[in-house]
Amino acid sequence: MDSYVLLQQTQQRRLAASASRAARQRWLLAVLILLDTTAIGLALVVATYMRFALHFPLFYEPPVSPIDSYLRLSLALMPIQLAIFAAVRLYDVGSLWGGATEYQYVVYGASLGMMALIFGSFFYPDFVIARAWLLLAWLSTIVFVGLGRFAMRRMVYRLRASGHLVTQALIVGANEEAQAIAEQILAAPRSGLRLVGFVDDSRHEGEEVVSGLRVIGSSTALRDLVDRTGVEEIIVATTALSREQLFDLFVAFGTVPDVTIRLSSGTYEIMATGMRVKEIGSVPLLSLNKMRLTGLDVVLKTLMDYVLASLAVIALLPVFALIAIWVKLDSPGPVIYRRRVVGAGGKLFDAFKFRTMVVNGDEILRQHPELEQELRETGKLKNDPRITRAGHFLRRTSLDELPQLFNVLRGEMSLVGPRMITAEEIGHYGRRYLSLLAGKPGITGLWQVSGRSDIPYPERVRLDLHYIRNYSIWLDLWLLYQTIPAVLRKQGAY
């Protein structure tokens, strides 16, 4: 009887949690639809008044102002545009508030809305839609809806970081892959997942696995654990289970409506580029992305790199000239030093720097075997006898790296990215070096703002992989902002 009562209470808790989750999702969708409605209406009104009330000389002025007609047209277009947004899954809560895909769908939905208006105008030949109004309406819709959704994201992220709007999850498996997955989720509080622990048959219950997360039971007790903890997401580290165990897991939870099973790729700890799923002969197959960034992310990052690097080069031309003269007068040799490094996809290129060492540096280093050993282990020397007088200042202020702006303009580097490495340094990354090749090295990055050369190599590797896995245009902007105080502090710069 007690077991029956306990079962009933557990089921009631899950039903209450499910109802609460559904209510939260309805509330979020209502807010989102209200934001989109407001943004679309505002965009169409702005487009109408820009076209017909501001009298730009580029626009043809009709003899009679058609503002009222276009406002009525805008009112009719709003529900159509909302329906199109729904059709392209812009109100699918499960795919929102993560990555740049949402903004791509905003552009796609707004384009379909304008196309629907053009198609509809064929049925009313007497009503000619101003082409400038169409263009302004399309651009305004993208801008205003995008801004509204950006604000919505910030609100959701803040709520998640403070413990609201989160989903309970557990990880099946506690091996190396499972630990890497847990560390990544714990490092991203805005993801909306709250881990309750691990389920593993090879470890003792209560055993700590990573960052305070413990084993909460074995696979035989998984159903009871899911009911007791209110878990809604089961994350499976596929390398920790056999094929039979995976099959049993899907038999048990594959049709449970309020529990989602998610499988890892099996190569998470090695690859960080993301994956695509394609059905071939009705068989879903995974393929690794060659590069970490795709679609809109590539466009935004490329635009930021070229615009900011171009402006910086123009503004810093006098500084370039003064440093070049100083380097040339300080010691004999070329002004620019070319360092052969590994770029995106494993392609080698020459990274430019102002020369900070004497030209016979290799001969000097061979006289100090202990420094050669330190250089092999850390990639840097704290007291380097090869550095010139000008070089000490340039390194401490990071001015020696300014010529890398030209590497950015050549498409070999990015303003923000993982730390550039030579082919000899690849050994420090092990098999994970493949992830490092998934993007362009950066002039600055997490390593730069976190202490630079004072950070041991394993931590540098972790920071690089963290950046690659968590890239966003906002992370790039934040790192650019943090680079200024990091350079001024001169921590780890030598």
Side-chain angles (χ1 to χ4, degrees):
M1 183 65 179
D2 291 340
S3 299
Y4 175 77
V5 172
L6 183 61
L7 177 62
Q8 290 292 102
Q9 291 175 344
T10 300
Q11 290 177 341
Q12 289 174 0
R13 284 199 302 270
R14 287 200 66 83
L15 287 173
S18 179
S20 176
R21 183 173 67 255
R24 291 197 305 267
Q25 291 181 350
R26 287 194 298 269
W27 178 80
L28 286 173
L29 281 178
V31 174
L32 189 59
I33 291 172
L34 179 61
L35 274 175
D36 281 353
T37 303
T38 304
I40 294 169
L42 184 60
L44 296 176
V45 169
V46 167
T48 299
Y49 279 92
M50 284 184 67
R51 172 60 184 86
F52 300 109
L54 296 184
H55 304 294
F56 283 119
L58 294 175
F59 298 152
Y60 162 74
E61 294 296 332
V64 179
S65 175
I67 288 180
D68 291 342
S69 299
Y70 276 87
L71 290 178
R72 288 193 297 270
L73 175 64
S74 300
L75 193 62
L77 182 61
M78 287 172 60
I80 297 174
Q81 185 65 78
L82 289 172
I84 291 174
F85 278 176
V88 298
R89 299 185 64 187
L90 277 171
Y91 300 116
D92 182 357
V93 176
S95 59
L96 297 178
W97 306 310
T101 305
E102 181 180 351
Y103 297 114
Q104 290 177 263
Y105 285 142
V106 168
V107 176
Y108 180 47
S111 302
L112 287 178
M114 294 303 109
M115 289 175 64
L117 184 59
I118 293 171
F119 180 77
S121 67
F122 284 106
F123 295 96
Y124 299 94
D126 293 335
F127 182 67
V128 179
I129 301 176
R131 289 171 295 179
W133 181 87
L134 274 175
L135 179 62
L136 291 170
W138 176 67
L139 292 174
S140 299
T141 299
I142 292 172
V143 170
F144 284 105
V145 172
L147 288 174
R149 284 178 173 259
F150 175 79
M152 183 74 174
R153 277 190 181 212
R154 299 303 108 184
M155 182 191 75
V156 170
Y157 288 163
R158 284 181 177 273
L159 289 171
R160 285 175 174 176
S162 60
H164 303 286
L165 302 179
V166 294
T167 300
Q168 301 282 81
L170 60 78
I171 298 177
V172 177
N175 62 352
E176 183 180 355
E177 182 190 14
Q179 294 173 38
I181 293 170
E183 289 172 350
Q184 179 69 17
I185 293 174
L186 290 172
R190 302 188 308 183
S191 68
L193 285 185
R194 175 187 289 163
L195 296 177
V196 300
F198 298 86
V199 170
D200 193 90
D201 294 337
S202 62
R203 294 177 181 252
H204 299 295
E205 184 174 345
E207 180 182 349
E208 183 175 346
V209 180
V210 60
S211 302
L213 286 177
R214 302 178 182 276
V215 175
I216 60 174
S218 64
S219 60
T220 56
L222 185 56
R223 185 179 292 275
D224 177 64
L225 291 171
V226 168
D227 290 335
R228 179 159 49 85
T229 58
V231 161
E232 302 163 28
E233 300 260 355
I234 298 176
I235 301 170
V236 183
T238 54
T239 54
L241 302 182
S242 66
R243 187 173 184 275
E244 290 73 18
Q245 288 174 311
L246 282 173
F247 183 79
D248 291 341
L249 187 65
F250 272 91
V251 169
F253 294 99
T255 58
V256 177
D258 57 348
V259 176
T260 301
I261 298 178
R262 301 191 187 275
L263 299 179
S264 71
S265 65
T267 56
Y268 173 81
E269 71 277 21
I270 301 174
M271 300 303 297
T273 55
M275 289 187 165
R276 296 187 303 273
V277 181
K278 181 178 181 180
E279 285 195 6
I280 302 177
S282 299
V283 178
L285 300 175
L286 299 176
S287 63
L288 294 171
N289 294 330
K290 300 296 183 183
M291 293 288 111
R292 177 66 180 90
L293 304 185
T294 57
L296 184 60
D297 286 333
V298 175
V299 175
L300 291 175
K301 190 171 180 67
T302 302
L303 186 64
M304 183 181 74
D305 282 344
Y306 282 107
V307 170
L308 294 184
S310 299
L311 294 174
V313 167
I314 294 171
L316 294 172
L317 278 177
V319 177
F320 276 92
L322 290 174
I323 294 176
I325 295 171
W326 187 18
V327 170
K328 196 67 178 176
L329 294 176
D330 184 57
S331 64
V335 170
I336 298 295
Y337 170 70
R338 295 169 177 260
R339 185 188 183 202
R340 197 70 170 168
V341 297
V342 183
K347 182 179 179 181
L348 298 176
F349 70 94
D350 291 330
F352 304 137
K353 299 181 71 173
F354 282 118
R355 182 174 58 82
T356 58
M357 293 184 181
V358 294
V359 291
N360 62 334
D362 291 339
E363 297 176 15
I364 295 176
L365 192 60
R366 280 194 291 270
Q367 300 171 14
H368 302 275
E370 73 285 356
L371 294 181
E372 284 187 303
Q373 178 67 22
E374 180 184 345
L375 183 62
R376 283 193 295 269
E377 292 177 355
T378 66
K380 285 279 188 175
L381 292 178
K382 194 161 189 177
N383 297 299
D384 197 332
R386 301 170 298 172
I387 300 178
T388 63
R389 289 171 299 177
H392 280 290
F393 176 80
L394 294 176
R395 287 193 173 201
R396 292 287 290 175
T397 56
S398 297
L399 291 173
D400 61 318
E401 298 177 2
L402 286 181
Q404 290 168 15
L405 290 168
F406 291 98
N407 288 115
V408 174
L409 296 177
R410 286 159 59 105
E412 298 163 333
M413 293 182 66
S414 179
L415 291 175
V416 183
R419 191 179 64 93
M420 72 169 70
I421 61 171
T422 62
E424 293 75 20
E425 292 179 86
I426 285 178
H428 291 284
Y429 287 78
R431 293 178 298 177
R432 291 176 293 183
Y433 87 91
L434 293 172
S435 299
L436 195 67
L437 307 183
K440 299 175 184 178
I443 297 179
T444 187
L446 273 176
W447 171 76
Q448 176 91 342
V449 305
S450 302
R452 303 176 69 181
S453 298
D454 287 345
I455 299 176
Y457 234 107
E459 181 64 9
R460 298 182 201 178
V461 175
R462 190 194 69 79
L463 289 173
D464 284 339
L465 294 178
H466 179 83
Y467 170 81
I468 293 168
R469 289 186 177 121
N470 294 277
Y471 167 79
S472 72
I473 194 68
W474 313 115
L475 177 59
D476 273 13
L477 292 173
W478 180 81
L479 289 173
L480 284 173
Y481 172 75
Q482 291 294 320
T483 297
I484 298 174
V487 170
L488 292 177
R489 286 195 303 268
K490 302 178 183 179
Q491 181 183 359
Y494 46 82

